[in-house]
């Protein structure tokens, strides 16, 4: 029996899909190279923006045609959209065999067991990638006014330190070199009085683990000890994803972000002073209800002032249940598009300018992938770096002298090893 897992959405979903994959492999099922070859298809959904839901509906439309041709196909939907719109998905796509919300993934084995033929040749597990995700917190308790996550993933909960260490060790044993600790706000990690800084110290003691990354850090509570730990600990990547969302205090307040632009800027400056080569990236939502041209200009000016290594820019999308859902979505699609493209263009120029400082620099990079004579790697700052190599160096750390920069990547020549 062959299976296929389609994943939409964030790293948390990628991590859940990896767990599903591990489970199915351990039951003796095999990967299908594409969805059309599969006897079992799992769709892992996201509900953070309408566009993600639209993707899921299109996928299910195509899957329904596949089911018409192959009535023995087993299909299930999991994830955030399944959590809050499970009933309507079941009603609309009657062919589905099971629908399981993001909070119910522990029931996955039970849900598929009656459909799958177990007892095939048991594979050990999925081969680890160079980097692997480890979930350290589930849910979110921040209730930013636009965000559906607290409603679909539930309240904030920290995973126990033991569980995190065991999961990390398992990944490292399977070949992972880098671990990415995941949570909606890792800064509020707390398990029996061990905070996120304490957790980082423990995780970094694991032998064979070369790099630690994490996301996401909420700007409202970034302790000094954490900044100092990132600066001092060689295993911790010099990369922080610090969503600003907007630089207008009026908009930030309506978003319930609990900081002002002034406070955010001070934090960025403090981090940069203490960690010299840090790369800070950010998320921005444009077109939040009530965002005027002037509000947008403040965000644009902040992007120019703070010079992020990269920006993820999203058009505001009203989400059911959230408190912003009651506000009128009054920025037109045309204006959202215009603001999106202006900010993106400026942001790309800025990241290219920042990457320019790396020209001729010798970067220590970890190789994640190899294809057609080209290694794809990242430095500690999480910038993608490509270089030619006759050998597949996946999983190795090498030194690359940077010769060319773009806005989202760089390329160079490997120093002979
Ligand atoms: N509309 C647009 N963007 C959103 N995000 C979260 N909710 C919404 C929404 N309703 C963005 C935020 C967050 C990122 C993961 O997704 O910028 O940081
Ligand atoms: Fe959503 Fe805010 Fe929680 Fe992030 S911190 S998941 S934006 S509610």
């Amino acid at each position: 029996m062959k299976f296929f897992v389609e994943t939409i959405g964030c790293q948390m979903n990628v991590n859940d899909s990896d767990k599903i994959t591990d489970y199915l492999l351990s039951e003796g099922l095999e990967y299908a190279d594409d969805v059309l070859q599969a006897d079992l298809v799992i769709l892992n959904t996201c509900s953070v923006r309408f566009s993600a839901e639209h993707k899921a509906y299109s996928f299910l439309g195509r899957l329904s045609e596949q089911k018409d041709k192959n009535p023995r196909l087993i299909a299930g939907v999991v994830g955030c959209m399944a959590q809050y719109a499970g009933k309507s998905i079941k009603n609309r796509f009657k062919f589905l065999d099971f629908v399981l919300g993001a909070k119910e993934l522990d029931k996955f084995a039970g849900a598929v067991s009656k459909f799958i033929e177990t007892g095939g040749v048991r594979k050990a597990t999925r081969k680890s990638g160079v980097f692997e995700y480890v979930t350290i917190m589930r849910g979110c308790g921040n209730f930013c006014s636009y965000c559906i996550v607290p409603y679909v993933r539930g309240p904030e909960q920290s995973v126990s330190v033991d569980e995190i260490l065991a999961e990390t060790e398992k990944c490292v044993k399977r070949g992972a070199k880098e671990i990415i600790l995941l949570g909606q706000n890792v800064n509020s990690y707390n398990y029996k009085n061990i905070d996120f800084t304490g957790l980082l110290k423990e995780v970094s003691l694991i032998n064979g683990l070369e790099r630690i990354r994490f996301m996401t850090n909420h700007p409202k509570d970034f302790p000094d000890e954490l900044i100092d730990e990132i600066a001092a600990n060689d295993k911790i990547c010099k990369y922080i994803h610090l969503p600003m969302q907007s630089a207008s205090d009026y908009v930030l307040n309506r978003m319930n972000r609990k900081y002002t632009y002034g406070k955010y800027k001070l934090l960025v400056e403090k981090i940069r002073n203490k960690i010299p080569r840090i790369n800070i990236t950010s998320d921005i939502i444009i077109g939040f209800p009530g965002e005027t041209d002037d509000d947008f200009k403040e965000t644009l000016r902040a992007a120019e002032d703070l010079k992020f290594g990269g920006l993820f820019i999203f058009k505001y999308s009203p989400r059911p249940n959230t408190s912003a859902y009651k506000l009128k979505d009054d920025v037109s699609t045309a204006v959202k598009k215009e603001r999106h493209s202006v900010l993106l263009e400026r942001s790309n120029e800025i990241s290219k300018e920042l990457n320019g400082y790396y020209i001729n620099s010798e970067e220590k990079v970890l190789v994640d992938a190899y294809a057609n004579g080209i290694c794809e790697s990242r430095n500690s700052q999480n910038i993608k770096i490509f270089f030619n190599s006759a050998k597949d160096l996946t999983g190795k750390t090498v030194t690359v002298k940077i010769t060319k920069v773009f806005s989202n990547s760089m390329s160079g020549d490997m120093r002979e090893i």
Side-chain angles (χ1 to χ4, degrees):
M1 193 171 187
K2 289 191 171 176
F3 70 95
F4 187 86
V5 185
E6 173 79 4
T7 309
I8 300 171
C10 66
Q11 286 87 350
M12 203 72 87
N13 270 14
V14 173
N15 189 24
D16 287 342
S17 290
D18 284 348
K19 287 195 180 124
I20 289 174
T21 301
D22 282 343
Y23 173 74
L24 293 173
L25 286 174
S26 77
E27 286 296 316
L29 279 76
E30 282 174 52
Y31 280 126
D33 291 331
D34 73 81
V35 63
L36 294 172
Q37 312 293 317
D39 311 294
L40 167 67
V41 176
I42 314 286
L43 172 65
N44 193 355
T45 57
C46 167
S47 52
V48 80
R49 280 173 290 278
F50 175 74
S51 53
E53 297 195 346
H54 184 74
K55 252 190 223 165
Y57 284 123
S58 315
F59 185 88
L60 289 173
R62 293 194 300 276
L63 201 60
S64 150
E65 288 168 20
Q66 191 176 335
K67 174 86 182 184
D68 289 342
K69 286 181 210 143
N70 172 16
R72 290 182 50 214
L73 178 74
I74 309 292
V77 177
V78 299
C80 291
M81 207 176 142
Q83 183 69 46
Y84 94 98
K87 267 199 193 119
S88 82
I89 294 173
K90 266 188 222 156
N91 281 338
R92 185 159 157 196
F93 300 96
K94 296 244 157 39
F95 70 90
L96 290 172
D97 297 287
F98 59 93
V99 175
L100 267 186
K103 285 191 270 185
E104 309 168 313
L105 260 191
D106 50 331
K107 301 196 190 107
F108 181 80
V112 289
S113 63
K114 55 177 176 281
F115 302 111
I116 61 177
E117 310 144 13
T118 55
V121 182
R122 287 183 185 247
K123 299 234 169 82
T125 31
R126 184 174 50 92
K127 191 174 168 286
S128 243
V130 174
F131 58 89
E132 288 280 320
Y133 298 107
V134 171
T135 297
I136 66 162
M137 296 178 78
R138 299 181 210 286
C140 183
N142 289 309
F143 293 95
C144 300
S145 65
Y146 49 80
C147 186
I148 198 170
V149 169
Y151 304 93
V152 290
R153 292 248 176 202
E156 183 179 280
Q157 262 179 300
S158 296
V159 177
S160 78
V161 176
D162 286 348
E163 220 173 301
I164 294 166
L165 293 177
E167 182 70 20
T168 307
E169 272 167 7
K170 195 171 96 188
C171 292
V172 171
K173 267 204 196 99
R174 282 174 7 186
K177 307 284 182 212
E178 176 177 316
I179 288 296
I180 304 158
L181 305 174
L182 292 180
Q184 300 298 343
N185 176 19
V186 295
N187 292 353
S188 60
Y189 180 85
N190 193 308
Y191 188 83
K192 296 195 174 154
N193 285 328
I194 301 213
D195 65 1
F196 185 55
T197 310
L199 178 71
L200 281 176
K201 287 186 180 159
E202 298 245 359
V203 172
S204 63
L205 294 177
I206 293 176
N207 273 333
L209 176 62
E210 294 177 16
R211 281 183 177 186
I212 304 167
R213 270 197 289 149
F214 42 82
M215 64 191 316
T216 295
N217 300 79
H218 196 303
K220 75 180 162 73
D221 53 359
F222 207 118
D224 285 356
E225 306 82 71
L226 176 56
I227 304 179
D228 295 336
E229 182 64 23
I230 300 170
N233 190 327
D234 284 342
K235 283 194 182 178
I236 301 178
C237 289
K238 307 306 174 219
Y239 168 75
I240 297 173
H241 184 61
L242 194 67
M244 178 172 79
Q245 311 299 2
S246 169
S248 150
D249 287 345
Y250 168 74
V251 174
L252 283 172
N253 182 38
R254 284 163 59 99
M255 285 178 164
N256 191 28
R257 290 290 289 176
K258 303 184 182 89
Y259 54 85
T260 57
Y261 173 60
K263 216 180 132 199
Y264 182 90
K265 185 178 152 124
L266 280 178
L267 175 62
V268 167
E269 285 165 354
K270 180 155 72 178
I271 292 172
R272 285 190 174 144
N273 278 333
K274 289 195 176 195
I275 320 169
R277 296 222 321 159
I278 194 80
N279 178 23
I280 301 177
T281 58
S282 198
D283 287 347
I284 300 288
I285 297 177
I286 51 101
F288 185 79
E291 184 190 69
T292 62
D293 255 338
D294 282 344
D295 292 319
F296 172 67
K297 276 187 195 134
E298 284 181 45
T299 302
L300 184 63
R301 228 177 294 132
E304 287 170 342
D305 190 21
L306 297 181
K307 292 192 193 295
F308 295 105
L311 271 189
F312 300 89
I313 310 165
F314 306 104
K315 297 185 197 108
Y316 172 68
S317 168
R319 302 284 62 217
N321 301 325
T322 62
S323 64
Y325 196 60
K326 295 178 206 90
L327 304 174
K328 191 162 176 257
D329 182 16
D330 57 359
V331 180
S332 71
T333 310
V335 170
K336 280 181 189 164
K337 262 195 189 148
E338 169 69 14
R339 288 179 188 167
H340 186 277
S341 80
V342 168
L343 184 58
L344 184 63
E345 197 177 315
R346 198 62 199 103
S347 155
N348 282 339
E349 286 165 8
I350 293 166
S351 0
K352 191 170 172 186
E353 176 194 323
L354 291 184
N355 286 349
Y357 294 117
Y358 284 97
I359 290 271
N360 289 327
S361 144
E362 300 209 331
E363 293 298 297
K364 235 174 104 182
V365 303
L366 173 62
V367 181
D368 325 298
Y370 180 71
N372 308 320
I374 297 172
C375 284
E376 184 181 321
S377 68
R378 282 165 302 113
N379 61 357
S380 166
Q381 284 70 16
N382 206 31
I383 303 174
K384 247 196 191 116
I385 295 170
F386 296 96
F387 62 93
N388 291 322
S389 164
K391 267 192 287 185
D392 179 356
L393 299 173
T394 302
K396 299 257 179 332
T397 296
V398 297
T399 303
V400 173
K401 186 170 178 176
I402 305 301
T403 53
K404 250 187 168 169
V405 300
F406 313 95
S407 38
N408 296 313
S409 64
M410 325 198 269
S411 63
D413 304 316
M414 181 178 62
R415 219 173 59 191
E416 284 312 312
I417 26 177

